[in-house]
């Protein structure tokens, strides 16, 4: 079962790698603007790439912040365990 899980994950990642070569992350208008700007010697492509990276990182930063808050709020220190000495009947 564990081997099947690992193989399916590797197959999924391999598929993403093969697909990534032929995919484009820009709309037709953005691509045309950037190509014409690059032909003219502009630097709009770097700004566009930085904007894409900023938009990509924002959800991960939010999830990290929520995870840290959740961890700090629900982490318990010095928890006393009170176990009764009586027998427990499970009928």
């Amino acid at each position: 079962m564990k081997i099947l899980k690992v193989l399916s994950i590797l197959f999924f990642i391999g598929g993403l790698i093969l697909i990534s070569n032929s995919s484009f992350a820009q709309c037709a208008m953005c691509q045309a603007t950037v190509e014409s700007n690059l032909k003219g010697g502009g630097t709009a492509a770097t700004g566009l790439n930085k904007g894409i990276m900023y938009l990509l990182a924002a959800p991960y930063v939010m999830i990290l912040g929520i995870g840290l808050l959740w961890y700090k709020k629900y982490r318990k220190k010095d928890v006393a365990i009170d176990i009764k000495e009586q027998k427990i009947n499970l009928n």
Side-chain angles (χ1 to χ4, degrees):
M1 187 71 170
K2 189 175 181 179
I3 295 172
L4 180 63
K5 206 182 262 190
V6 170
L7 286 175
S8 64
I9 290 172
L10 288 176
F11 181 72
F12 181 72
I13 291 172
L16 287 177
I17 290 171
L18 291 174
I19 292 171
S20 67
N21 289 339
S22 63
S23 64
F24 297 103
Q26 299 174 354
C27 66
M29 290 292 290
C30 297
Q31 185 176 3
T33 303
V34 169
E35 285 178 358
S36 66
N37 192 328
L38 284 176
K39 287 179 184 175
T43 59
T46 58
L48 183 63
N49 287 337
K50 286 180 183 177
I52 290 171
M53 294 303 288
Y54 174 75
L55 290 173
L56 178 72
Y60 291 109
V61 170
M62 284 183 4
I63 289 173
L64 177 69
I66 291 170
L68 285 173
L69 287 174
W70 186 25
Y71 174 74
K72 289 194 177 236
K73 183 174 181 178
Y74 291 107
R75 182 178 60 173
K76 296 188 179 197
K77 296 178 182 176
D78 301 328
V79 176
I81 300 174
D82 187 23
I83 299 175
K84 296 180 181 179
E85 295 294 327
Q86 300 173 355
K87 265 189 170 178
I88 300 174
N89 294 328
L90 300 174
N91 298 26

